[in-house]
Amino acid sequence: MTDLNSTIGWERAVIGTALADPSTMEEASELRLSDFTGCHQDIWAEMAVLHRKGALELRALVEALRTRGALDSLGAFDVESSGEAYLAELLSRRGDAMSEYVDRVIDASIKRQLRQAAALIRADADDDQVSAEEALDVAEQRLMALRRNRLTNLGISMADLMSVFTGRVQDMIAGTYQPAWVPSIKPIRDIVQFAEGEDMIVIAARPGEGKSSMLRAEALELAWGGPPDSPDPNRAKPVTIFNLENGEIEYARYAISWLTGIDSMLLRDPRKLTEEQLQIVREASQALQRIPFHVVTLGSPTAREIERIARQHISRHGTKLVGVDYLQLVRNGNPNKTQDVSETSSVLRSIPLNFGVPVIAISQMSREIVHRGENAEPQLSDLRESGSIEQDGTIIMFPRALWASPSGQQLRQFPENINPDTGYVYTTGAKAIPIRVYVRKHRNGSTGITEPFLWVKSTNRFRPLTNPATWEHQ
């Protein structure tokens, strides 16, 4: 490390050491983005995000910078390498004295800011419109602002926060910003355009109204990289689902049915499948083996257990979305159910806040909505053990069937509801029903009621309706 006598050399030592051993990031917690110069600011910003997620390593950093559109611009005047090669160059500058490197970077940063402050103080002193007393007061404020508390980390300064915000604005303008989660169902997306990594999304409904199906569909589309018939592998993101209710093999059926469009009931008895369908299932099974989708099946876990495993998956697999199905099945040992659910909700909320990965939590609704009548609209107060869920959820939505008691004539409008052998409408359990979603809370956006769309229960899919407004009156 021959360039350690220079400011840029110490910055390289910090970055290289942290890349080689992410645990040393704790020693660098006092560093701010403004302490770095040039492209090192972009690199350190992404490293800080990856470290919070427990996913800091060279390949993840390369992809994060590539996504942001900053990879190709990496480099410096005194080295020939650029882009990904420059990151490898930084890794070679690692050392074993992180605390010293941090001190050197901070010292250089303060001196740089001191020179800037001195220039401003000089300008005030030369300004005849500024009194000596005013100049002294401003000079004192400028100098005091440069002092740091070296003992505690009191959060991020507005200056550094603005540098992060500015970077995001530039990414959005350039079209390179990728939100943490974008709803795959268009009517929902029309209201909830996207969610941030710090969001906790709650999907609540009565049994059989699509809440778990909606979570599975969103998770599968994210891990698959798009809709079943038009994926983009570059968009695929790792997903972890905590399954607290179903057998693990059910998720295999859900996934194959979602991908192929084959009725999930047929997959329970493969003897009913044609040779063509069997071949489609085999091909789908092979394709699904390659997607970054993990199912963690637990019986009555504690919220802390879920948080611990989620942290491991974020670190090891780079998980970008955590799903919990469902919230009321978590058991923390508190005899008061409302307090127990409150603990679950607050712990799940900590996952997005601490690791920047959104959580979609499924929740039950109380029977109160049933007592209000078949066509009652859901409210936040309908959340079962609602207090903390309502508070912790940043986005809360309720899927609800459009028809409370659909007639055979209504159900016949969808081919999935007709038995192909008899031509009659299925008498027990519709396979496809129109639903809409009530977005009752959106902390950073709008609320509202979606247009109706079709939930195909038999394939775990959701699809648009032609002229959705007309379905309201059927």
Side-chain angles (χ1 to χ4, degrees):
M1 293 185 288
T2 57
D3 62 352
L4 279 185
N5 59 344
S6 69
T7 298
I8 196 170
W10 296 114
E11 293 177 16
R12 286 170 176 156
V14 167
I15 293 172
T17 302
L19 267 179
D21 182 5
S23 67
T24 59
M25 286 287 286
E26 301 304 323
E27 298 178 64
S29 61
E30 193 179 352
L31 286 172
R32 304 168 181 172
L33 279 181
S34 55
D35 291 330
F36 292 88
T37 57
C39 68
H40 293 169
Q41 284 195 351
D42 288 331
I43 296 171
W44 192 255
E46 295 300 335
M47 287 178 65
V49 171
L50 290 170
H51 177 62
R52 286 197 297 270
K53 297 178 181 179
L56 178 57
E57 49 90 22
L58 181 59
R59 178 49 48 190
L61 179 60
V62 169
E63 295 307 317
L65 289 164
R66 192 195 311 278
T67 299
R68 187 174 176 179
L71 182 63
D72 293 339
S73 62
L74 302 183
F77 67 92
D78 59 338
V79 294
E80 295 182 0
S81 58
S82 61
E84 188 172 344
Y86 184 67
L87 291 177
E89 172 78 15
L90 293 180
L91 187 58
S92 72
R93 307 299 179 95
R94 62 186 180 273
D96 56 4
M98 177 61 105
S99 294
E100 179 185 355
Y101 308 152
V102 169
D103 286 343
R104 295 279 190 163
V105 170
I106 290 176
D107 286 346
S109 174
I110 291 176
K111 287 182 178 179
R112 189 165 58 249
Q113 295 174 62
L114 185 58
R115 288 192 293 270
Q116 296 171 353
L120 292 172
I121 292 171
R122 173 67 181 269
D124 286 341
D126 291 340
D127 189 344
D128 292 337
Q129 302 299 316
V130 178
S131 69
E133 192 66 29
E134 290 173 330
L136 283 171
D137 287 342
V138 172
E140 185 179 51
Q141 292 171 10
R142 294 187 193 281
L143 293 175
M144 288 300 295
L146 297 180
R147 295 192 177 276
R148 296 195 185 197
N149 185 337
R150 306 301 293 271
L151 300 176
T152 59
N153 181 5
L154 299 179
I156 186 170
S157 71
M158 184 57 73
D160 288 320
L161 188 58
M162 285 300 104
S163 67
V164 174
F165 175 77
T166 301
R168 177 171 294 187
V169 168
Q170 292 172 342
D171 290 344
M172 289 179 129
I173 293 173
T176 57
Y177 174 68
Q178 293 189 350
W181 172 66
V182 176
S184 65
I185 302 168
K186 186 181 182 302
I188 297 178
R189 193 167 62 247
D190 288 340
I191 298 176
V192 181
Q193 286 79 21
F194 62 88
E196 303 280 10
E198 296 75 22
D199 278 322
M200 175 170 157
I201 303 101
V202 176
I203 303 176
R206 294 292 298 160
E209 289 199 312
K211 57 186 185 298
S212 296
S213 186
M214 194 170 290
L215 168 60
R216 290 191 292 265
E218 291 294 339
L220 283 165
E221 179 151 331
L222 191 63
W224 182 246
D229 56 350
S230 57
D232 178 358
N234 294 322
R235 290 175 51 207
K237 296 181 180 180
V239 173
T240 298
I241 298 294
F242 287 89
N243 166 44
L244 313 184
E245 185 177 30
N246 300 294
E248 290 179 338
I249 198 66
E250 290 298 315
Y251 268 81
R253 294 193 187 99
Y254 293 142
I256 290 175
S257 183
W258 174 84
L259 183 58
T260 64
I262 295 175
D263 192 323
S264 58
M265 293 302 293
L266 290 177
L267 297 177
R268 290 180 175 273
D269 187 357
R271 294 171 298 182
K272 296 180 179 179
L273 297 174
T274 66
E275 278 300 320
E276 181 182 1
Q277 288 174 322
L278 279 171
Q279 182 58 31
I280 291 172
V281 168
R282 293 188 190 102
E283 293 174 358
S285 177
Q286 292 176 353
L288 287 166
Q289 290 177 33
R290 298 190 291 270
I291 72 172
F293 192 108
H294 290 84
V295 179
V296 181
T297 301
L298 300 169
S300 300
T302 66
R304 291 295 176 187
E305 186 177 3
I306 291 176
E307 190 270 345
R308 175 180 59 80
I309 297 173
R311 184 172 67 247
Q312 292 174 347
H313 277 240
I314 292 168
S315 175
R316 295 176 185 175
H317 306 302
T319 290
K320 296 296 187 292
L321 177 71
V322 172
V324 179
D325 187 14
Y326 57 90
L327 194 147
Q328 281 82 7
L329 290 177
V330 180
R331 301 285 188 266
N332 301 300
N334 194 317
N336 182 298
K337 184 59 178 176
T338 299
Q339 293 178 5
D340 201 69
V341 170
S342 178
E343 180 178 346
T344 297
S345 179
S346 63
V347 172
L348 294 183
R349 179 73 184 104
S350 73
I351 295 174
L353 289 176
N354 291 335
F355 306 114
V357 174
V359 167
I360 298 181
I362 301 306
S363 176
Q364 289 182 335
M365 289 175 64
S366 69
R367 292 188 58 82
E368 181 61 32
I369 191 170
V370 177
H371 299 152
R372 296 203 305 270
E374 285 188 341
N375 297 315
E377 295 189 351
Q379 306 296 331
L380 290 173
S381 58
D382 290 319
L383 287 165
R384 189 166 174 182
E385 293 91 24
S386 65
S388 62
I389 304 174
E390 181 179 343
Q391 175 181 332
D392 292 328
T394 57
I395 300 172
I396 300 178
M397 47 191 173
F398 301 85
R400 189 87 165 132
L402 192 63
W403 304 323
S405 302
S407 66
Q409 183 178 0
Q410 287 174 319
L411 294 177
R412 182 175 285 277
Q413 296 174 83
F414 309 111
E416 293 87 353
N417 292 326
I418 301 174
N419 188 319
D421 297 326
T422 65
Y424 293 113
V425 173
Y426 285 107
T427 56
T428 56
K431 292 179 178 286
I433 61 171
I435 67 172
R436 57 189 165 196
V437 171
Y438 294 76
V439 180
R440 291 306 196 197
K441 180 181 179 182
H442 188 190
R443 185 169 292 171
N444 300 309
S446 60
T447 59
I449 305 172
T450 70
E451 291 185 337
F453 56 95
L454 191 68
W455 171 32
V456 184
K457 299 181 182 182
S458 56
T459 59
N460 212 77
R461 290 183 176 184
F462 298 85
R463 71 166 187 253
L465 289 169
T466 305
N467 300 321
T470 64
W471 294 92
E472 299 275 1
H473 308 292
Q474 295 193 24

